[in-house]
Amino acid sequence: MDGLFNPLPDDQPMTTPAIRHLTLTAALLALGGSLAACGGSEPSFKPLELNIAHINDHHSQLDAFPASELTLDGVPTQVELGGFARQTALFKSVAGTKNLLKIHAGDANTGTLYYTFFKGKVDAQMMNTICFDAFTPGNHEFDDGDSVLKGFLDELATGTCKTSVISSNVVPATGTALAPTGGTPYLKPWAIKEIDGVKVGLIGLTIASKTTNSSRPLATTAFKDEVASAQQAIDDLKAQGVRHIVAITHLGYNADKALAAQLTDVDVIIGGDSHSLLGDFKAVGLSSSSGAYPTVVTNKNGETVCIGQAWEYSKAFGLMNVAFNEAGAVNSCGGKATLVIGDQFKRKDAAGAWQTVSGTERTTLLANLAANQPLVKVVTPDATAAATLKTYSDQVAAERAKPIGTTTQALCLVRTPGEPTNRSSGTAGCETANALAQGSDMAQVVAESFLYAAKRADLALQNGGGVRVPLAAKALSMNDAFTVLPFTNVLLEMELTGAEVVAALEDGVGNYLDKGETSGGSHPYAAGLRWDLDMSKPKGQRFGNVQVRHKSSGAWTAINPTQTYVVVTNDFIASGKDGYTTLGNAYNAGRYVNTYLLYTQSFVDYVLAKGSIGRPARADYSHQRVTTAAGAQLP
């Protein structure tokens, strides 16, 4: 457990002050019991130390990320980052930690060929090498509907793990896949775990608007208000004598902080969705932290709430320690998120080429990491988990290895220009990508590939959240394409007026900005279309100087509100998902042609045709000038 939280050994001798403290505590407990009998005070509780190991948003990223760049001992160093079998090894390494809960905060599915081919089966089997105590479904668990989610949960239920699947605000209709008639519902609002003789309540929350707008749940599956549902679950647990409440949420880091302030009696929030890296990782070259680990806020009662999240894609492991006092409230919280890496390294030589670190240099580096860098953990993959994964990786290896071309420079991933989280951390050349007005290179190139595929289209539109990872400058394979675009969308051509095009752009930004959300998955990117964006203005006034690029001449002219343009986009937002109401209205009116082009294959064909791809000319980016919601103009 080197580099991780170690609770004090049970056999550590007590000091005299500690004995005095226990004597005083016993006296206070006796007094509290007497007063309670007379109706004069709140009841006392057994003090409890709780340890919570957790991950979130692994998104079918079961293999490690090779050639990820960190700064180790002050030197840029390439490492193998993450890998689910390493997570299994870490969870097993803390199995002896007292009063341990193991939690997954959602979005296990969607993101690689493991999901494309096996629809969650592999993810469930890998999760069962850890045996989580509780799992809360994220929005991406519903990407292929309730029936596919049922299959994933059936697989998760095999074996002896008995993971509790909880979400207090998701209510499937009776008779549907997740609530079979006469059977046991797949989702429970809460679960109770007995820890050291004390009942601990776990409640789950799945982000409502994002799931209904951005995934494909059944129309009959209700996604209720998160705050009201959480409070109801807490009240239900309190009525059963449960005092300690852990919320497992898939809402996003900022939403978790806001949630805490609106709830009574919540003690801990273990979250997901926003892929937030919490903690100070600047020393290892990552400056994209969203906040402290744990983040400490207060609930509606004014009591302490501890919030944790563990980044994304099996790259980080969270371990939180929470101490409850005799009043049943949080007395303190600590712990950290830890980056998970392998034991092989590369550094640049005098000529600037990456070379394997070996011999004494490697030995010294490993020793320094163990002694001086608690936020990075060198982990050997668990053999059982690695063997389970290999059963499936062999099946996809041939397909995913097919070469398609190269990237001449890094294509950085951003959802919203100016967002606080750098989703491209660890990708060389993307260190400040989230702070630039141009936004996402990756989404821009994807949009260009759509426009290339749809020969009659004037412009292309893509939602930023549909593009999943950045690409480093390297040779590209089919696997890269399916990791960037992992969903099963096809391209539609829609005939829209210029006014409708601008309204659709306003829809995409308003979908998250006007709801106080920061995930920005609906944020628009386009090819053949560019604009100035001012997010400090109200909806309807955010997009200005909107211009269209002529297909033949390449000249840019102001969009004509009454002219009809052919817009190619994915069928997901074309049908009105992700808040694109204007597109949905046109779709419902039958104003589209289905090209039946798989959007991932369109990107592959674009790379194959070009041979190599890089960042577009700056003038061709959809975002020309951007002002943030706070009024700052981005460079």
Side-chain angles (χ1 to χ4, degrees):
M1 286 175 50
D2 180 36
L4 296 174
F5 171 80
N6 281 302
L8 289 174
D10 291 337
D11 58 354
Q12 179 170 315
M14 287 189 181
T15 62
T16 299
I19 295 172
R20 289 173 181 166
H21 172 74
L22 289 176
T23 303
L24 177 59
T25 298
L28 290 174
L29 285 173
L31 177 60
S34 299
L35 291 174
C38 297
S41 82
E42 292 295 321
S44 295
F45 294 84
K46 176 183 177 181
L48 176 70
E49 179 183 342
L50 181 64
N51 293 294
I52 305 172
H54 62 97
I55 61 172
N56 54 275
D57 295 276
H58 85 253
H59 279 289
S60 301
Q61 296 283 357
L62 305 174
D63 294 319
F65 289 80
S68 296
E69 188 173 331
L70 298 176
T71 301
L72 303 180
D73 287 350
V75 181
T77 307
Q78 285 188 346
V79 301
E80 190 173 81
L81 181 61
F84 204 94
R86 287 194 174 96
Q87 290 287 350
T88 302
L90 264 180
F91 273 89
K92 287 184 177 180
S93 76
V94 300
T97 304
K98 67 179 181 180
N99 303 342
L100 183 69
L101 281 175
K102 296 177 289 183
I103 288 174
H104 193 306
D107 274 4
N109 293 326
T110 303
T112 69
L113 292 180
Y114 287 115
Y115 182 77
T116 302
F117 293 155
F118 301 109
K119 298 302 180 187
K121 180 179 181 180
V122 195
D123 295 287
Q125 291 188 12
M126 293 300 286
M127 288 171 68
N128 280 341
T129 66
I130 290 174
C131 277
F132 291 97
D133 290 295
F135 168 72
T136 293
N139 52 296
H140 284 287
E141 267 65 73
F142 290 89
D143 277 348
D144 287 303
D146 293 38
S147 294
V148 172
L149 173 54
K150 172 186 177 297
F152 164 69
L153 296 180
D154 283 338
E155 190 69 34
L156 192 65
T158 60
T160 59
C161 288
K162 309 304 180 187
T163 299
S164 296
V165 182
I166 55 175
S167 185
S168 64
N169 69 314
V170 180
V171 184
T174 301
T176 61
L178 297 176
T181 302
T184 302
Y186 278 77
L187 305 181
K188 305 290 178 58
W190 43 259
I192 298 175
K193 301 292 181 180
E194 188 166 303
I195 307 292
D196 194 21
V198 177
K199 291 181 178 179
V200 175
L202 309 179
I203 68 169
L205 290 172
T206 302
I207 189 166
S209 63
K210 187 176 183 180
T211 309
T212 54
N213 288 321
S214 300
S215 295
R216 292 184 171 92
L218 289 174
T220 55
T221 299
F223 290 81
K224 297 186 175 182
D225 179 78
E226 295 96 330
V227 176
S229 299
Q231 192 62 64
Q232 182 62 59
I234 291 170
D235 293 345
D236 289 346
L237 288 167
K238 283 180 62 182
Q240 300 180 58
V242 177
R243 176 63 179 87
H244 307 308
I245 304 294
V246 177
I248 307 171
T249 70
H250 196 84
L251 306 178
Y253 176 60
N254 287 336
D256 285 340
K257 291 186 288 185
L259 175 73
Q262 299 174 76
L263 297 177
T264 65
D265 299 296
V266 67
D267 300 305
V268 179
I269 298 176
I270 301 297
D273 184 61
S274 55
H275 297 222
S276 296
L277 179 62
L278 301 184
D280 186 355
F281 291 87
K282 291 190 289 293
V284 295
L286 300 182
S287 58
S288 58
S289 172
S290 298
Y293 186 103
T295 296
V296 181
V297 297
T298 55
N299 62 23
K300 196 173 181 179
N301 308 86
E303 298 171 331
T304 298
V305 179
C306 314
I307 298 176
Q309 193 174 146
W311 204 13
E312 62 180 8
Y313 303 156
S314 306
K315 296 175 182 176
F317 168 83
L319 185 60
M320 182 184 291
N321 171 257
V322 184
F324 294 93
N325 61 24
E326 294 88 348
V330 173
N331 191 53
S332 66
C333 50
K336 59 181 174 288
T338 307
L339 300 181
V340 183
I341 67 171
D343 61 359
Q344 301 299 312
F345 311 96
K346 289 185 177 182
R347 287 176 170 171
K348 288 184 178 179
D349 61 16
W354 291 99
Q355 302 293 344
T356 299
V357 175
S358 59
T360 302
E361 184 182 7
R362 176 174 176 270
T363 301
T364 301
L365 175 54
L366 286 169
N368 287 344
L369 285 174
N372 305 316
Q373 189 43 265
L375 296 181
V376 176
K377 181 72 173 176
V378 177
V379 181
T380 300
D382 178 76
T384 301
T388 298
L389 183 60
K390 191 175 188 304
T391 302
Y392 298 96
S393 60
D394 286 348
Q395 298 179 52
V396 301
E399 185 67 24
R400 70 194 300 174
K402 290 181 180 177
I404 60 173
T406 60
T407 47
T408 58
Q409 57 196 140
L411 299 177
C412 308
L413 182 71
V414 178
R415 287 193 177 178
T416 305
E419 65 187 1
T421 297
N422 186 350
R423 300 171 190 273
S424 304
S425 289
T427 303
C430 296
E431 291 78 9
T432 61
N434 57 313
L436 303 178
Q438 68 194 47
S440 182
D441 307 317
M442 199 65 253
Q444 188 66 43
V445 171
V446 166
E448 296 288 352
S449 74
F450 293 174
L451 190 57
Y452 179 85
K455 303 305 180 185
R456 64 186 288 261
D458 299 298
L459 52 97
L461 187 63
Q462 169 65 24
N463 54 318
V467 183
R468 304 307 295 179
V469 295
L471 288 176
K474 62 172 187 174
L476 297 181
S477 65
M478 283 289 290
N479 179 62
D480 292 310
F482 277 92
T483 304
V484 170
L485 299 171
F487 307 110
T488 54
N489 298 123
V490 295
L491 299 183
L492 303 187
E493 295 173 345
M494 311 187 79
E495 294 189 359
L496 304 172
T497 66
E500 287 177 312
V501 171
V502 176
L505 300 178
E506 294 277 3
D507 288 342
V509 172
N511 180 60
Y512 68 91
L513 202 57
D514 296 334
K515 297 174 182 177
E517 298 175 3
T518 56
S519 59
S522 60
H523 192 88
Y525 287 86
L529 187 71
R530 67 185 188 184
W531 54 72
D532 297 339
L533 172 61
D534 188 342
M535 290 184 279
S536 68
K537 292 183 177 180
K539 184 176 181 179
Q541 301 177 32
R542 290 172 175 144
F543 285 84
N545 195 27
V546 182
Q547 297 180 323
V548 177
R549 184 179 63 203
H550 192 275
K551 290 177 64 174
S552 300
S553 69
W556 290 93
T557 57
I559 195 167
N560 185 335
T562 61
Q563 181 178 333
T564 297
Y565 298 90
V566 177
V567 180
V568 61
T569 189
N570 64 73
D571 62 331
F572 180 76
I573 65 171
S575 63
K577 294 288 189 178
D578 246 3
Y580 281 89
T581 304
T582 303
L583 298 185
N585 291 338
Y587 179 90
N588 292 333
R591 292 162 49 198
Y592 69 90
V593 173
N594 192 335
T595 69
Y596 296 100
L597 295 171
L598 179 66
Y599 82 149
T600 312
Q601 189 63 50
S602 297
F603 175 72
V604 169
D605 292 342
Y606 178 74
V607 176
L608 288 170
K610 298 290 184 180
S612 62
I613 57 173
R615 297 172 186 171
R618 181 65 184 90
D620 287 334
Y621 275 77
S622 45
H623 293 84
Q624 291 297 296
R625 294 177 181 167
V626 174
T627 302
T628 67
Q633 186 164 331
L634 299 179

